[in-house]
Amino acid sequence: MPETSNDSWIVAGRTFSSRLIVGTGKYKDFAQNAAAVEASGAEIVTVAVRRVNISDPSQPVLMDYIDPKKITYLPNTAGCFTAEDAIRTLRLAREAGGWDLVKLEVLGEARTLYPNMRETLRATEVLANEGFLPMVYCVDDPIAAQQLEEAGAVAIMPLGAPIGSGLGLQNQVTIRLIVEGAKVPVLVDAGVGTASDAAVAMELGCDGVLMNTAIAEAKDPIRMARAMRLAVEAGREAYLAGRMQKRRYADPSSPLAGLI
Amino acid sequence: MTQPDTLEVRINGETRRVSAGSTIAALVAQIGLDPARVAVERNLEIVPRSTLASVAVADGDAFEIVHFVGGG
């Protein structure tokens, strides 16, 4: 029996065994967040870069609960609407944590949080030239994905549906086309709402899934984190197993010969 | 009225006064922050961590001090 535990994946030369990346936003508190990360089995978490509250610097911080020595922090550029803002944010992130593996997202508008691909592509080029290893949130467009890869993206992260919507993968065809065309890892980032959505992404051949709201806004986030771990593993196993062909009509599972 | 022994700076959008001759590391410590957990930008330029203790604060400097928070 093949072991799932040997089925690791590599991004920018770094090997991970968990194919689930989780966000750290929207949780009730840091303790719940840390417990959800633990239950998800994730080895990478996304984090945001924000101003320190200089009036009350003694407030608890994320690093007190999720140890960056054990869990890889993936700084993101959430909330950035221009390449310049995103680049500035990640330069600060690199100085704060020393990490060059980053998540780039440049948003086009607040209502849909759809990526602005012109700015995203420009930021990818600049960041790659500065030695960053950008994993890039993008539209589910196979041509845009190719262009990002050429610009230096170390992972392509198409949305399955708008950020925080929980609508599930809206276009399985384009996600599959991106997977087939990419030489770098492909992770569905955004749009997963429940476990079956994560499994679908993995069955399409994605290398991983990134999610935040689906876990954080579940009634029991820790249980959902575990569900997502299992779904990602199940979807990956199903992809590797190779699914049966679909038929238009029935095909009996019991032999027809020897009927009484 | 300006006190000659202090400088006026902006930190994360707030105006603060600091002693003349302070380094950026001293400024960060004075606020009560662990310099190992933050990054500092001075007048839109990153201040490398290795130089925090040697760069002096100048009157009118604008600082951004950031850290990591939860996010997706």
Side-chain angles (χ1 to χ4, degrees):
Chain A
M1 190 181 127
E3 290 199 23
T4 313
S5 57
N6 292 336
D7 178 37
S8 55
W9 65 289
I10 298 172
V11 57
R14 292 162 211 204
T15 305
F16 297 95
S17 51
S18 170
R19 291 171 179 272
L20 176 55
I21 299 178
V22 296
T24 54
K26 299 181 175 174
Y27 286 93
K28 189 182 67 172
D29 52 37
F30 286 126
Q32 186 191 59
N33 190 343
V37 171
E38 173 85 28
S40 75
E43 296 166 309
I44 305 175
V45 296
T46 59
V47 295
V49 178
R50 291 291 181 271
R51 280 176 166 174
V52 167
N53 179 354
I54 61 168
S55 310
D56 186 8
S58 60
Q59 284 176 356
V61 295
L62 187 67
M63 281 189 186
D64 295 332
Y65 291 82
I66 298 172
D67 185 353
K69 290 188 187 74
K70 294 178 186 151
I71 301 282
T72 298
Y73 273 37
L74 186 67
N76 73 17
T77 59
C80 293
F81 286 83
T82 64
E84 280 67 33
D85 281 350
I87 294 161
R88 182 183 176 204
T89 298
L90 291 176
R91 284 176 183 152
L92 278 164
R94 178 156 70 178
E95 202 52 44
W99 301 293
D100 44 14
L101 188 66
V102 293
K103 172 181 161 179
L104 172 68
E105 62 180 273
V106 186
L107 304 170
E109 61 168 9
R111 189 171 64 88
T112 60
L113 298 180
Y114 231 68
N116 178 329
M117 289 307 296
R118 190 166 56 190
E119 293 291 294
T120 300
L121 195 58
R122 204 155 62 77
T124 302
E125 278 170 1
V126 172
L127 290 167
N129 284 336
E130 290 186 12
F132 284 95
L133 303 166
M135 300 173 70
V136 185
Y137 166 68
C138 58
V139 291
D140 56 343
D141 169 348
I143 308 305
Q146 252 171 37
Q147 291 169 341
L148 286 175
E149 199 175 320
E150 286 159 15
V154 300
I156 305 295
M157 305 206 292
L159 50 76
I163 292 172
S165 70
L167 290 169
L169 272 68
Q170 294 298 297
N171 198 336
Q172 296 185 26
V173 175
T174 52
I175 300 290
R176 178 179 55 79
L177 290 173
I178 291 170
V179 169
E180 286 174 5
K183 291 181 205 70
V184 297
V186 176
L187 296 90
V188 163
D189 177 0
V192 165
T194 189
S196 53
D197 300 332
V200 167
M202 296 309 295
E203 286 170 13
L204 291 171
C206 289
D207 296 275
V209 182
L210 193 162
M211 66 180 74
N212 190 152
T213 311
I215 296 175
E217 287 189 2
K219 287 199 179 67
D220 182 344
I222 293 152
R223 192 160 200 160
M224 186 58 90
R226 191 166 64 240
M228 291 300 184
R229 172 170 62 79
L230 295 170
V232 166
E233 285 176 14
R236 176 67 182 170
E237 285 290 281
Y239 171 72
L240 292 175
R243 61 153 297 150
M244 62 165 280
Q245 291 302 308
K246 292 182 181 179
R247 293 189 182 89
R248 288 169 64 83
Y249 302 102
D251 183 53
S253 298
S254 305
L256 295 175
L259 273 169
I260 54 167
Chain B
M1 116 186 154
T2 314
Q3 298 159 279
D5 53 344
T6 64
L7 309 169
E8 187 173 293
V9 297
R10 286 186 72 76
I11 306 170
N12 292 356
E14 288 182 29
T15 303
R16 294 267 179 130
R17 296 205 71 87
V18 298
S19 314
S22 292
T23 63
I24 297 176
L27 174 76
V28 170
Q30 190 189 318
I31 297 166
L33 298 168
D34 176 357
R37 287 183 165 190
V38 299
V40 182
E41 193 188 70
R42 176 205 205 193
N43 304 328
L44 302 177
E45 293 282 333
I46 300 268
V47 184
R49 190 185 297 286
S50 56
T51 68
L52 285 177
S54 50
V55 178
V57 174
D59 194 50
D61 274 351
F63 293 97
E64 288 289 339
I65 305 179
V66 301
H67 66 158
F68 293 115
V69 302

